């Protein structure tokens, strides 16, 4: 497979870096409506991309691997895309080349980044904590964490980060371990540097989550930023130590370090700055979406729901850019629906101040997640692109 850019007339190379929630939708849409004269390439470090919405259910043991992962090989084939399994290391914007770890640079006429985020960790976290981001790395370490707890016969487990993702993950872990080890001495703690659980979230949802945590005997330590992680304990910035045989790191995401080697304009935290059309600042040949993108003016939460909604706009704008047509604006959803599983066959839902709870909410969440996954596993026959005029 040649990676050399063709001279003269020929297909234009669109390179998708990362198989995140936005890019899988780009692939699906290009498969449904192929664009004449475009050659797609997907560069991804893994052949299966986890769906973040089903992560807690996977942790709890309710889902198997295939149910919670999108297989990128058949999806790339459906889109007519080449697939390169490798790790991106940078960009050469002048030469329009994607740099990668395991092979020669990949030429592009247009490149899009959907590479997620990295742990925003403190000293010792890399050695003594399991980071939730990137999700595929978390899942590869989860079995080892559970095995250590079983071998130890219990112990203290702490989740650092009290956003919706951290709380939901802790509830899933607590339910799974207590179910597997009912007689074990287990202790669970939710730790956060923020002053409250679910910072910025609806008050009614926060109150209900706190009641559930208390009922399950899960300790909550807010206003307690972690300065370092050591074997068996967390060192708090304001003094004090919390015992923790196992630590899951679920704090706000950091930018992947290799973005600093792209030559792109980054925001102060190192994420790729994008405009309202998902284009990188100052570039008309680079797009970015999902966690790795940063919007000027109004920040967009780094959550899967927003990446999912960016997918259709990104796909449309890539096609429009290639055709020389005006681009669509991405308008972040206001008051997004929040669904949080509680690990016991129930879930909480919140939107516009209304909070609902019950087994029916969990079934609703399962339906939403299954419908999303079916879009990428049940693919129609690929359409042929119309010949160019």
């Amino acid at each position: 497979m040649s990676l050399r850019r063709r001279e003269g007339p020929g297909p234009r190379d669109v390179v998708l870096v990362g198989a995140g929630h936005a890019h899988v939708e780009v692939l699906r849409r290009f498969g449904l409506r192929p664009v004449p004269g475009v050659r797609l390439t997907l560069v991804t470090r893994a052949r299966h991309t986890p769906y973040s919405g089903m992560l807690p259910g996977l942790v709890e043991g309710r889902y198997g691997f295939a149910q919670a992962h999108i297989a990128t090989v058949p999806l790339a084939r459906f889109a007519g895309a080449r697939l390169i399994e490798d790790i991106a290391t940078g960009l050469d914007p002048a030469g329009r080349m994607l740099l990668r770890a395991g092979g020669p640079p990949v030429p592009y006429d247009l490149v899009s980044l959907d590479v997620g985020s990295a742990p925003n960790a403190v000293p010792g976290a890399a050695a003594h904590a399991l980071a939730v981001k990137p999700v595929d790395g978390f899942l590869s370490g989860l079995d080892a964490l559970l095995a250590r707890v079983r071998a130890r016969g219990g112990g203290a487990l702490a989740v650092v980060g009290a956003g919706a993702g951290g709380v939901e993950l802790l509830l899933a872990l607590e339910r799974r371990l207590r179910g597997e080890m009912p007689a074990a001495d287990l202790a669970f703690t939710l730790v956060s540097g923020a002053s409250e659980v679910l910072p910025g979230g609806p008050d009614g949802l926060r109150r209900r989550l706190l009641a559930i945590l208390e009922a399950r005997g899960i300790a909550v330590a807010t206003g307690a930023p972690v300065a370092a992680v050591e074997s068996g304990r967390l060192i708090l910035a304001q003094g004090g130590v919390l015992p923790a045989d196992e630590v899951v790191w679920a704090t706000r995401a950091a930018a992947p370090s290799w973005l600093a080697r792209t030559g792109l304009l980054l925001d102060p935290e190192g994420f790729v700055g994008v405009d309202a059309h998902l284009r990188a600042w100052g570039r008309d040949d680079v797009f970015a979406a999902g966690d790795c993108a940063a919007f000027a003016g109004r920040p967009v939460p780094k959550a899967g729901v927003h990446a999912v909604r960016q997918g259709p706009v990104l796909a449309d704008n890539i096609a429009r850019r290639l055709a020389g047509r005006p681009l669509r604006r991405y308008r972040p959803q206001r008051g997004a629906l929040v669904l949080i599983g509680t690990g016991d066959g129930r879930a909480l839902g919140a939107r516009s101040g209304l909070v609902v709870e019950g087994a029916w909410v969990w079934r609703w969440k399962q339906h939403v997640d299954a419908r999303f996954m079916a879009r990428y596993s049940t693919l129609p026959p690929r359409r042929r692109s119309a010949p160019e005029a």
Side-chain angles (χ1 to χ4, degrees):
M1 179 179 65
S2 173
L3 297 180
R4 184 177 303 170
R5 181 182 288 110
R6 297 189 184 185
E7 299 297 333
R12 287 169 293 175
D13 283 302
V14 174
V15 177
L16 307 177
V17 187
H21 295 355
H23 275 177
V24 295
E25 181 63 11
V26 173
L27 290 168
R28 189 182 77 91
R29 292 194 174 222
F30 269 71
L32 292 172
R33 297 188 64 181
V35 178
V38 172
R39 181 170 59 180
L40 281 175
T41 300
L42 173 66
V43 180
T44 177
R45 64 173 178 256
R47 291 184 170 230
H48 293 84
T49 186
Y51 172 43
S52 61
M54 298 177 82
L55 176 62
L58 188 61
V59 168
E60 191 188 345
R62 289 181 178 269
Y63 299 127
F65 181 93
Q67 291 173 287
H69 284 76
I70 297 168
T72 58
V73 172
L75 184 59
R77 187 181 302 120
F78 173 69
R82 304 178 298 177
L83 188 147
I84 298 175
E85 193 173 353
D86 204 351
I87 299 171
T89 60
L91 289 181
D92 172 8
R96 286 189 294 179
M97 293 281 187
L98 170 72
L99 310 179
R100 60 191 180 107
V106 181
Y108 65 82
D109 295 290
L110 186 153
V111 65
S112 179
L113 309 179
D114 183 16
V115 294
S117 53
N120 190 358
V122 298
H128 303 294
L130 177 58
V132 175
K133 296 291 182 80
V135 174
D136 55 343
F138 169 75
L139 291 174
S140 67
L142 177 62
D143 287 343
L145 181 151
L146 294 172
R148 289 193 300 269
V149 175
R150 296 184 192 109
R152 196 184 294 117
L157 186 146
V159 171
V160 181
V167 175
E168 190 174 23
L169 194 60
L170 178 54
L171 290 171
L173 283 167
E174 183 268 344
R175 204 63 345 189
R176 177 168 183 173
L177 286 169
R178 290 202 193 280
E180 291 182 359
M181 308 169 65
D185 183 12
L186 291 162
F188 299 89
T189 305
L190 182 67
V191 185
S192 176
S195 60
E196 59 187 6
V197 170
L198 204 67
D203 290 338
L205 183 60
R206 181 183 304 108
R207 288 193 296 269
R208 187 66 198 117
L209 284 172
L210 286 170
I212 292 171
L213 291 167
E214 182 179 7
R216 299 224 192 139
I218 298 173
V220 177
T222 53
V226 176
V229 185
E230 296 180 354
S231 178
R233 63 181 190 169
L234 298 173
I235 309 300
L236 303 182
Q238 297 173 348
V241 172
L242 285 176
D245 299 300
E246 301 293 341
V247 177
V248 173
W249 201 262
T251 63
R252 188 175 184 275
S257 60
W258 72 270
L259 294 179
R261 299 187 294 276
T262 60
L264 301 175
L265 296 175
L266 308 179
D267 81 341
E269 295 182 314
F271 295 98
V272 178
V274 297
D275 62 18
H277 309 291
L278 303 175
R279 285 181 305 190
W281 291 337
R283 305 290 309 189
D284 64 359
D285 58 354
V286 181
F287 288 82
D291 280 7
C292 73
F295 294 82
R298 181 188 171 197
V300 175
K302 297 191 182 301
V305 63
H306 294 285
V308 167
R309 291 182 176 275
Q310 288 163 20
V313 178
L314 179 62
D316 197 12
N317 280 348
I318 289 174
R320 286 169 176 256
R321 168 67 181 80
L322 294 170
R325 296 165 54 204
L327 303 186
R328 286 176 55 189
R329 293 177 65 89
Y330 165 66
R331 292 179 170 81
Q333 182 185 20
R334 294 180 180 272
L337 172 67
V338 179
L339 290 172
I340 299 178
T342 52
D344 55 357
R346 298 166 62 84
L348 297 168
R351 186 168 188 177
S352 303
L354 175 66
V355 178
V356 292
E357 180 182 2
W360 70 270
V361 183
W362 171 249
R363 291 192 295 271
W364 179 23
K365 184 180 188 309
Q366 286 183 304
H367 171 72
V368 170
D369 291 338
R371 185 176 60 185
F372 174 82
M373 292 296 290
R375 296 168 70 181
Y376 306 105
S377 60
T378 307
L379 300 168
R382 183 172 185 265
R383 293 175 54 184
R384 291 181 178 272
S385 59
E388 290 187 278

